[in-house]
Amino acid sequence: MKISFENPDKINGLLTLVVEEEDYKNDVEKTLKDYRKKANVPGFRPGQAPMGMIKRQFGASVKMEAINKLVGQQIYKYVQDNNIQMLGEPLPSEKQEPVDIEKDGPYTFMFDIAVAPEFKVALSGRDKVDYYNITVDDKILDQQVEMYASRSGSYEKAEVYQENDMLKGDLRELDENGNTKEGGITVEAAVMMPSYIKVEEQKNLFNEAKVGDIITFNPKKAYPDNDTEVAQLLKIERDSVKDLESEFSYQITEIQRFKKHEVNEELFKLALGEDTDVKDEAAFRAKIAEGLQAQLVGDSDYKFLLDVRAHCEKKVGKLEFPDALLKRIMLANNKDKGEDFVEKNYEESLKELTWHLIKEQLIKAQDIKINDEDVKETAKEAARAQFAQYGMANIPEEYVENYANEIIKKGNSTEALVDRAIDRKLATTLKTVVKLNEKEISVEDFNKMMQE
């Protein structure tokens, strides 16, 4: 096989492969012999059909399959052996002449290859990059204590309704005269939270209501734009709400008021675990701050890597890419979305591709390598973040470990975990390479900055 590669402008490559008969002959003959052994041809014992018949029936398809396989292998071998930084997949060249496999070779195959632009990016102590140390202030600690107290709160019975109370009572549909409608809608022990009623006139009907009171209101007027809410309250199909105009009586049988948990040792144990040695609110806040600080380092590192990206993109400047070929590759990968999709998303794809190429150089320069333990630690970080969303701090390591194992077992998140593990290690390493322009910032201001 003869292989040649043309790359005059450094980014548009043309790979030409000339396939001779001896390149694929042995593979074809071996495959046809296997076919003959398995062929069940009428008039012949199994495995005894004439080879000429086998060749006439299967020869062309076997030959094509062998050539395609060979060409694919040789393309990637050549690219790897010659250190060609190929972008995407090779595409059949627009210069390709039709190939007739029925005729004798040699056969010429031509492929267009997108080649990454040549550039060099390096970081050192001369590069200055912002790094935000996120501080845990009293405001965020107040919010966290409030969250724990709310999560561990409970409902207690009350006699007079107040805003945000939950009511339980019996609903009955009324006729035009205000009497219970015969055969009308009835719901026993219906649960309501009047504070969620959208129309003030209807909501005010429940002000200072007491256990035993009967309130007359109109569900459709109370929730004018939410037929689903009405259907759930009245236990009817959503389609039935459309023509519903009736007033309903609601006799209150119970009023429940949510009470936050007191900030005491019981709450500390609920939030931090039975083994906690926290005895007072000051120690509780300190423990929360410690946990938050560990989580916030990850947020700081994420922002740092974004700033490293912006810094490197500025150093590199605008790179020249084989646009026409990359658009063809993008279209081939998104055939169902069409050319409009390619044109609309091409520039954003180039930005991501540029950062990918930059990051590859940074990873190589810092000799960043990822192993199973790095992926496992990243999964554990994701597990802790998941627990934290539910207000669960200081989860025993055994639970974190088990949850991380489940994340890894799912498989569909493995690639994302590897990428995240690389980013974590890269951020940690680059913090020791560049000069950090350290800034203190509150959680609130940091979140605002990230939203912008």
Side-chain angles (χ1 to χ4, degrees), residues 402-421:
N402 291 339
Y403 196 87
N405 288 335
E406 287 301 315
I407 293 175
I408 293 171
K409 279 181 186 176
K410 287 179 182 176
N412 57 353
S413 59
T414 303
E415 186 176 344
L417 285 174
V418 170
D419 288 343
R420 176 65 186 138

Side-chain angles (χ1 to χ4, degrees), residues 136 140-141 144 287-297 443:
V136 180
I140 193 71
L141 287 176
Q144 290 291 304
K287 202 73 173 176
I288 294 172
E290 181 185 327
L292 281 176
Q293 204 67 63
Q295 293 175 37
L296 295 173
V297 168
V443 174

Side-chain angles (χ1 to χ4, degrees), residues 383-400:
R384 290 188 189 96
Q386 187 73 40
F387 285 128
Q389 284 184 354
Y390 297 104
M392 301 166 69
N394 290 352
I395 298 296
E397 192 63 21
E398 177 187 354
Y399 291 103
V400 174

Side-chain angles (χ1 to χ4, degrees), residues 104-332:
D104 293 335
Y107 310 108
T108 300
F109 298 93
M110 306 173 79
F111 291 89
D112 291 327
I113 291 181
V115 181
E118 294 180 1
F119 69 96
K120 182 71 176 173
V121 62
L123 294 174
S124 69
R126 291 190 294 274
D127 295 282
K128 191 174 183 180
V129 182
D130 290 341
Y131 188 84
Y132 292 89
N133 292 303
I134 308 172
T135 58
V136 180
D137 54 22
D138 285 338
K139 183 176 180 180
I140 193 71
L141 287 176
D142 289 342
Q143 292 172 353
Q144 290 291 304
V145 172
E146 176 88 359
M147 178 196 71
Y148 283 118
S150 294
R151 287 186 184 277
S152 299
S154 59
Y155 280 93
E156 58 183 23
K157 289 186 179 181
E159 289 300 319
V160 181
Y161 172 77
Q162 293 180 7
E163 186 77 6
N164 296 318
D165 283 354
M166 184 169 67
L167 305 180
K168 186 180 287 187
D170 300 330
L171 270 169
R172 289 181 173 80
E173 186 177 3
L174 304 178
D175 60 22
E176 294 178 357
N177 299 316
N179 300 315
T180 300
K181 184 176 180 180
E182 186 175 348
I185 299 169
T186 300
V187 183
E188 304 288 339
V191 174
M192 286 187 63
M193 292 192 73
S195 55
Y196 290 163
I197 292 177
K198 304 300 181 185
V199 179
E200 289 297 320
E201 178 190 358
Q202 293 290 313
K203 183 191 292 189
N204 293 338
L205 295 173
F206 293 86
N207 288 350
E208 298 184 0
K210 302 178 182 65
V211 174
D213 284 357
I214 298 176
I215 310 296
T216 299
F217 79 113
N218 189 309
K220 189 69 182 291
K221 290 180 180 178
Y223 307 98
D225 302 317
N226 196 335
D227 286 356
T228 300
E229 187 78 27
V230 177
Q232 289 176 346
L233 175 65
L234 302 179
K235 310 297 183 190
I236 59 175
E237 294 296 324
R238 189 176 184 277
D239 291 343
S240 303
V241 176
K242 183 179 178 182
D243 301 319
L244 185 69
E245 297 179 358
S246 304
E247 299 274 321
F248 279 73
S249 68
Y250 184 70
Q251 183 168 18
I252 301 171
T253 57
E254 191 175 299
I255 300 175
Q256 292 191 337
R257 183 166 302 150
F258 184 76
K259 184 180 180 182
K260 295 173 188 172
H261 200 291
E262 289 185 34
V263 181
N264 55 22
E265 286 193 46
E266 184 181 38
L267 177 63
F268 307 152
K269 290 181 183 296
L270 288 170
L272 305 176
E274 287 292 330
D275 297 334
T276 185
D277 57 357
V278 171
K279 302 297 183 185
D280 55 43
E281 185 174 352
F284 184 49
R285 292 169 72 90
K287 202 73 173 176
I288 294 172
E290 181 185 327
L292 281 176
Q293 204 67 63
Q295 293 175 37
L296 295 173
V297 168
D299 294 337
S300 294
D301 285 357
Y302 174 73
K303 171 62 174 148
F304 169 68
L305 209 53
L306 290 179
D307 289 339
V308 166
R309 172 176 175 168
H311 180 78
C312 289
E313 286 172 345
K314 187 175 180 180
K315 288 185 74 170
V316 167
K318 185 171 177 58
L319 299 176
E320 185 180 3
F321 286 95
D323 296 319
L325 181 49
L326 284 180
K327 287 181 180 180
R328 282 174 56 204
I329 293 172
M330 193 171 173
L331 182 60

Side-chain angles (χ1 to χ4, degrees), residues 41 44 49-58:
V41 180
F44 298 93
M51 180 57 79
M53 182 182 291
I54 299 297
K55 284 183 177 179
R56 283 195 300 274
Q57 188 171 356
F58 302 108

